[in-house]
Amino acid sequence: MPRIYIETYGCQMNVSDSELMLGVLRREGYVRTDDPAQADVVLVNTCAVRDHAEQKVLSRVGELKRLKRPGGVLGVAGCMAQRLGPRLLERVPQIDLVVGPDGYRGLPELIARARAGERTADVMFKHWEHYEDVPPVRGDAVSAFVTVQRGCDYRCTFCIVPMTRGAERSRKLADVVREVTDLARGGTTEVTLLGQTVNSYDDGTHDFADLLRAVGGIPGVRRLRFTSPYPTDFTERAVAAMAETPALCEHVHLPVQSGSSRVLKRMLRRYDRERYLDVVAALRRAVPGIALTTDIIVGFPGETEHDFQETLSLVEVVGFDDAYTFKYSRREATPATRLKDPVPDAVAGERLERLVAAVRGIARRRNVALVGSTHEVLVEGRAKRGELLQGRTRTNKVALLAGPDAWIGGYRDVRFTGTTGSTFTAVPLGHVLGGELAVVG
Ligand code: 5AD
């Protein structure tokens, strides 16, 4: 049986797309291997959002090409593949195929052509493509990513994604419900709905509110998440659906990008600072105890120290539980490349450091306040280092606890006993340790 090795970079959608690629190839008899040196086909699923992500992939491809077996195939998939297309084939002679996010159905043919000595780049957009007939090969039985929407119709001036993933389209609600129902029957209890602007979901008949209620109502779905929403695409209906869907977890990742209305306008974000804060307030009213995380870019062209101060103050006002922070990375052919007043790299770097410190400080304050509180965690597995199990709360906080392997994949009530500032130590509630009750009321 031919062996496939696949390595995934970037966002959750890429993780989900890699599961689709494995699904396409399983139909052809492929089995998965964890060792690229043993693989007949090696695929790298890439990200193009920042230059750093692309450089990392290029150096990794440099390593993988040396492991290539005689007759083996090395392919690059995903957003960087879509962005560079045939240019990648020119640049790295050992790459046999390049395939964008809409071309995965054609992988068997592209591989066959590569074997025949033909190097191909398939970067055609297919507006209808949802891979509806392809059962993804998922790694984890308990938690599943389910893509409900592909592409993006927004035109944020910094962002390459509309150029790599094409136009927005939503899967039919009934198809999503069927997939999640099957997953739940197989033991999946946590589902994360994925889309570039997932809350603009619209299948022609049903909106995001319908989607949340429908998926949240499937028996066996205990935790429902979604990512990433666009701040101003939450309708009142969607917020009400969030409030009234018990499975919906108390965490939303809500990318703000900047706290300055002036910068937001230049980014072509469709909200200003006040509007974003209104959305935060609406979510907090609807979902008590909701944790909020975000994405922030510093050093966007024209960003002044005053603009940056606005970002620092927004971080403080919202009190994010965590934030992914990035230095602006200029992406070829995006609208922002035409903006004047680039921020010098050293200035952007220094702002990033100040922002990271602010985010950490605020997260630490929030987390210290949570020590002593009780939470339900889904036990995901053993923590990377040490003996402890790693669990996750509905608010997406990571907690480490002692316990047997038998707990993996299940839910436990725990009490937080300490925090590093970002993650927690915890003990199971009512669990007897060494003959003593470890937790006292
Ligand atoms: N430079 C830096 N960060 C970017 N992001 C998207 N495009 C860029 C860019 N050109 C960030 C945004 C987005 C996250 C996925 O990546 O914050 O929300």
Side-chain angles (χ1 to χ4, degrees):
M1 278 192 281
R3 276 164 297 193
I4 164 77
Y5 171 85
I6 186 159
E7 209 167 279
T8 306
Y9 293 84
C11 62
Q12 288 102 324
M13 176 90 53
N14 261 10
V15 174
S16 175
D17 279 356
S18 288
E19 294 171 344
L20 275 175
M21 285 190 259
L22 289 170
V24 168
L25 293 175
R26 181 170 62 184
R27 295 203 292 211
E28 304 289 309
Y30 279 80
V31 291
R32 193 171 187 181
T33 169
D34 292 332
D35 180 4
Q38 297 295 317
D40 300 286
V41 175
V42 169
L43 291 176
V44 186
N45 192 7
T46 63
C47 172
V49 132
R50 283 172 293 279
D51 185 55
H52 179 72
E54 293 199 350
Q55 295 309 323
K56 215 163 75 185
V57 161
L58 282 175
S59 82
R60 184 61 182 144
V61 165
E63 290 166 13
L64 289 170
K65 75 186 185 196
R66 285 194 284 277
L67 298 177
K68 218 166 129 177
R69 294 166 21 133
V73 172
L74 175 58
V76 180
C79 286
M80 182 182 175
Q82 182 71 38
R83 187 178 91 73
L84 294 172
R87 283 191 275 170
L88 262 177
L89 295 177
E90 283 160 32
R91 184 160 173 175
V92 188
Q94 291 85 351
I95 295 177
D96 302 293
L97 70 88
V98 171
V99 58
D102 285 350
Y104 301 150
R105 183 180 292 282
L107 268 173
E109 193 195 325
L110 294 172
I111 292 167
R113 280 205 230 159
R115 291 234 164 82
E118 191 188 339
R119 302 168 71 222
T120 324
D122 176 10
V123 290
M124 285 264 289
F125 285 122
K126 301 186 182 79
H127 293 314
W128 44 266
E129 184 59 278
H130 282 297
Y131 302 103
E132 212 56 77
D133 55 315
V134 180
V137 176
R138 293 186 163 93
D140 184 342
V142 177
S143 296
F145 288 139
V146 175
T147 297
V148 300
Q149 175 202 58
R150 301 181 70 86
C152 186
D153 280 349
Y154 285 75
R155 289 294 175 268
C156 305
T157 54
F158 52 80
C159 190
I160 193 80
V161 171
M163 297 164 71
T164 63
R165 288 194 170 268
E168 177 189 315
R169 65 274 190 184
S170 295
R171 284 174 74 186
K172 292 277 176 238
L173 182 114
D175 290 330
V176 176
V177 167
R178 190 175 336 103
E179 181 175 6
V180 176
T181 304
D182 286 349
L183 284 168
R185 284 203 188 109
T188 297
T189 57
E190 182 180 60
V191 171
T192 304
L193 306 174
L194 300 181
Q196 292 315 321
T197 56
V198 69
N199 54 342
S200 69
Y201 174 91
D202 174 9
D203 76 349
T205 313
H206 301 288
D207 65 3
F208 187 62
D210 296 329
L211 180 72
L212 288 181
R213 289 185 195 275
V215 177
I218 294 170
V221 176
R222 180 153 167 177
R223 288 187 172 187
L224 177 59
R225 304 179 185 277
F226 56 82
T227 203
S228 284
Y230 191 87
T232 42
D233 279 340
F234 282 113
T235 60
E236 272 176 38
R237 278 168 54 77
V239 174
M242 289 173 69
E244 291 159 19
T245 302
L248 189 91
C249 288
E250 293 78 20
H251 168 234
V252 169
H253 183 69
L254 194 67
V256 66
Q257 313 300 356
S258 170
S260 153
S261 295
R262 204 182 66 85
V263 172
L264 288 168
K265 199 165 185 182
R266 286 161 69 88
M267 289 176 162
L268 219 69
R269 298 292 283 181
R270 303 174 187 200
Y271 53 88
D272 59 12
R273 177 190 174 92
E274 282 63 43
R275 190 74 203 287
Y276 182 88
L277 292 173
D278 288 345
V279 175
V280 166
L283 292 175
R284 289 221 156 109
R285 272 196 305 275
V287 186
I290 195 169
L292 294 172
T293 55
T294 198
D295 289 342
I296 300 169
I297 298 174
V298 299
F300 186 74
E303 183 190 69
T304 63
E305 174 61 25
H306 180 259
D307 293 320
F308 176 66
Q309 290 295 335
E310 294 265 292
T311 295
L312 286 179
S313 109
L314 181 109
V315 164
E316 183 75 39
V317 169
V318 175
F320 290 110
D321 290 84
D322 201 1
Y324 296 96
T325 52
F326 311 104
K327 231 187 328 181
Y328 169 68
S329 171
R330 188 177 187 277
R331 309 313 289 136
E332 186 187 13
T334 54
T337 57
R338 295 193 295 270
L339 291 176
K340 294 202 177 52
D341 308 319
V343 174
D345 192 60
V347 174
E350 184 265 338
R351 285 181 191 163
L352 185 65
E353 275 178 32
R354 282 192 280 161
L355 179 60
V356 167
V359 166
R360 283 212 188 116
I362 290 157
R364 167 179 292 274
R365 265 202 329 257
R366 290 190 86 85
N367 289 337
V368 165
L370 289 173
V371 172
S373 60
T374 59
H375 300 262
E376 176 201 80
V377 296
L378 168 56
V379 180
E380 296 177 332
R382 290 275 159 205
K384 281 199 191 85
R385 268 169 293 176
E387 310 276 271
L388 298 173
L389 292 170
Q390 174 172 314
R392 198 174 290 270
T393 66
R394 291 170 57 91
T395 51
N396 216 36
K397 307 276 182 188
V398 169
L400 302 180
L401 63 151
D405 279 348
W407 288 3
I408 295 171
Y411 293 84
R412 293 272 141 192
D413 288 323
V414 302
R415 186 185 303 277
F416 285 171
T417 51
T419 179
T420 62
S422 61
T423 63
F424 294 87
T425 50
V427 290
L429 277 190
H431 186 65
V432 178
L433 287 177
E436 271 174 67
L437 198 58
V439 177
V440 188

